[in-house]
Amino acid sequence: MAKEQDTLIYNIDKSIKKKADLINCHYWAYAVRSIMASVYLALGLAISAYSADKLNHIVEGLGKFSYGLMFGWCLVMILYMNAELGTSNMMYMTSAIHRKVIPTRTALKILATCIFFNFIGAVIVCFLLSYTTPYQIGHVAPDSYLIEASIAKLAKSPLTQFVEGIFANIVVNIAVFVTMRMKDDAGRVISLIFIIFIFAFLGFEHVIANFSTFSLAFFSNGGPVEGMTLGSILSNFFFSGLGNYVGGGLLIGLLYSWLSNKSDLYID
C-alpha cells in the first residue's frame, strides 16, 4: 500500500522509527527525554493547581475552569520540546507492533523505558517544587485544589479509574493526532489546550499526570494526604494505566492502524 507523506499514518511511522533509532543508539538520551516530559507536566500541573486556588478565592468553582485550561500547556510543552510521554507512546508502540514498523521487543522497550523514567522525573521535579514558595510545607492548605484532587482520585473505585483512564488517553491521543494534521503553530497550540481541557476539566485519570499529582501532593503536604497509601497509589496507577492503554493503545493506536490498512485510498 502506497503511503503519501502527508498522511497521518506516515507521520506516525516516521515518529516510531525516530524513537527506535534514539533508544537503540543512545538509551540514556531517550531516558532523559522521558524525564523531561515529567518536568514539563509537573510545571504545568503546579501552575494549574495554583491558579485554581487563586480563582476559587474569587468565585468558588472558577478554579476548575482555570485548571482545565492551564493544564493543556503541559502537552504543548511536551510536544514542542520533543519529550517522551508514556501515554502517547501507548498509541505509537501499539501501532508499531501492529504495522511491524519496528520489532516488538524494541516497541516494548520504548514503552517500558518511557513510563519508568516519566515516573522518576515526576518524583524528582515534584520533590524540588516542594522547596518553592507556593508548594513549601505549610503553604499548601488542606482544602487546596491539589490536595482535594489527589484525595478524590484515590477515593475512586478501580472501575471508575479504569473507565476514566480510557477516556483520558483517547483525548490525549486525539490531541496528538490533531497536531500532526495542522501546519500552523497557533492553531496547534489552541487545539491542544482545548482538547486537553476535556479530560482535565472532567477529572479523568491519566497515569503519567498522576505520577506528578500524587508526588507533589505528598511532598508539599509533608507526607501522605487522606487515603494515600502505597496500596491505593499502586491501585490507581494500575487501573488508570490499564485504562490509558485501552484508550490510547487499542482504541486509537490499534484501531486507526487497522483502519488505514483497509483501503489504498482511505488512509488516515
Side-chain angles (χ1 to χ4, degrees):
M1 179 177 63
K3 297 180 183 178
E4 297 182 5
Q5 294 192 5
D6 62 345
T7 64
L8 179 64
I9 291 299
Y10 173 86
N11 289 326
I12 289 174
D13 289 352
K14 183 179 178 181
S15 294
I16 290 167
K17 291 174 183 176
K18 285 172 60 179
K19 296 170 189 287
D21 180 71
L22 179 59
I23 202 167
N24 287 330
C25 294
H26 202 306
Y27 179 86
W28 289 107
Y30 186 85
V32 170
R33 287 189 182 273
S34 301
I35 289 172
M36 293 309 295
S38 283
V39 173
Y40 307 136
L41 200 156
L43 286 171
L45 168 69
I47 186 59
S48 298
Y50 194 66
S51 64
D53 285 332
K54 297 301 181 184
L55 287 176
N56 275 339
H57 287 310
I58 300 173
V59 177
E60 184 62 33
L62 187 59
K64 190 170 186 178
F65 286 91
S66 170
Y67 180 90
L69 288 172
M70 292 300 297
F71 196 83
W73 288 99
C74 297
L75 193 57
V76 173
M77 289 187 283
I78 288 169
L79 292 179
Y80 274 84
M81 297 301 289
N82 287 325
E84 289 291 314
L85 182 67
T87 43
S88 59
N89 273 331
M90 291 176 182
M91 175 272 291
Y92 281 117
M93 295 307 118
T94 304
S95 179
I97 293 170
H98 179 253
R99 297 173 60 77
K100 298 180 173 62
V101 179
I102 57 175
T104 298
R105 182 177 179 179
T106 303
L108 294 176
K109 179 181 179 182
I110 290 171
L111 185 57
T113 298
C114 185
I115 293 174
F116 176 75
F117 283 102
N118 283 166
F119 175 75
I120 296 299
V123 173
I124 293 172
V125 72
C126 289
F127 174 74
L128 294 174
L129 281 170
S130 70
Y131 284 91
T132 64
T133 301
Y135 287 100
Q136 285 179 3
I137 297 175
H139 286 213
V140 180
D143 62 348
S144 69
Y145 193 93
L146 173 67
I147 301 300
E148 289 192 340
S150 298
I151 293 171
K153 285 177 175 293
L154 292 168
K156 293 176 183 177
S157 70
L159 178 61
T160 299
Q161 293 169 355
F162 174 70
V163 174
E164 290 189 357
I166 293 174
F167 285 112
N169 213 21
I170 287 176
V171 171
V172 168
N173 284 287
I174 288 173
V176 173
F177 271 34
V178 167
T179 60
M180 289 183 182
R181 296 284 199 189
M182 302 182 74
K183 305 299 181 183
D184 177 69
D185 282 334
R188 293 178 75 190
V189 170
I190 292 170
S191 297
L192 282 169
I193 291 170
F194 282 101
I195 293 172
I196 296 301
F197 176 84
I198 298 170
F199 105 77
F201 184 79
L202 293 174
F204 290 161
E205 297 298 311
H206 183 278
V207 66
I208 310 301
N210 286 352
F211 290 167
S212 292
T213 301
F214 296 151
S215 295
L216 188 57
F218 178 87
F219 290 125
S220 63
N221 191 55
V225 302
E226 181 184 335
M228 180 179 281
T229 64
L230 180 60
S232 65
I233 291 174
L234 291 178
S235 177
N236 178 278
F237 288 167
F238 177 77
F239 288 105
S240 62
L242 186 62
N244 288 165
Y245 181 73
V246 172
L250 301 183
L251 297 181
I252 299 294
L254 181 61
L255 178 61
Y256 275 86
S257 177
W258 179 80
L259 287 171
S260 292
N261 282 338
K262 299 307 171 187
S263 170
D264 290 337
L265 296 179
Y266 204 149
I267 305 172
D268 291 290

